[in-house]
Amino acid sequence: MVGSVTERLAPDEIFLTTNGTNLTSEVDIAARDSYRVQVAATTTVLGGLIQVLLGVIKFGFVGTYLSEPLVRGYTSAAAAHALLAQLKHLFGVSPRRYSGPLSQVY
C-alpha cells in the first residue's frame, strides 16, 4: 500500500530532466528515490500516530462487537487481494494501471 502511495505522489514524470545537447529526457533517479523515501516515512509515521491515538482512547473495544464470520471473511478477502496482487509478478506481465470499479479484474 505504501508503494502505491509513493508511486502516485512521486511519479517518474515529475523527475524528468532534459539533456541540452540532444534533447532527450531521463529520470533523475536519486531525487525521485529520495522523495519517495520521504513520502513513505511520512505515511508510516502518520499511520503509527493514528494507531497510538486509537490505543490511547481505548478504541479496541469495537473489536468485541465484530462477529467471527465477519473477521474470517475479511481475512479471506485480504488473502485473496494479496494473491491477486502477486500474480503479475508470478507470470511476468506488466499490465496497465486501472483504478475504478473491478480494478482487480481488469
Side-chain angles (χ1 to χ4, degrees):
M1 188 166 96
V2 174
S4 65
V5 171
T6 57
E7 288 180 9
R8 190 173 352 120
L9 293 179
D12 288 342
E13 294 81 26
I14 294 176
F15 301 99
L16 287 177
T17 56
T18 305
N19 187 348
T21 57
N22 58 2
L23 298 176
T24 58
S25 296
E26 59 185 31
V27 177
D28 185 3
I29 296 173
R32 180 198 65 189
D33 290 346
S34 173
Y35 186 70
R36 284 184 178 178
V37 167
Q38 289 177 356
V39 169
T42 304
T43 304
T44 304
V45 168
L46 183 61
L49 288 175
I50 290 170
Q51 286 185 349
V52 167
L53 177 67
L54 290 174
V56 167
I57 63 172
K58 307 238 187 232
F59 199 71
F61 75 92
V62 175
T64 60
Y65 297 113
L66 301 176
S67 66
E68 185 68 25
L70 178 80
V71 173
R72 285 184 184 176
Y74 180 78
T75 306
S76 298
H81 179 74
L83 177 71
L84 288 173
Q86 297 302 316
L87 283 179
K88 63 183 175 185
H89 301 295
L90 183 66
F91 292 117
V93 296
S94 181
R96 293 183 308 150
R97 284 196 171 263
Y98 176 79
S99 61
L102 300 174
S103 63
Q104 290 292 330
V105 176
Y106 289 118

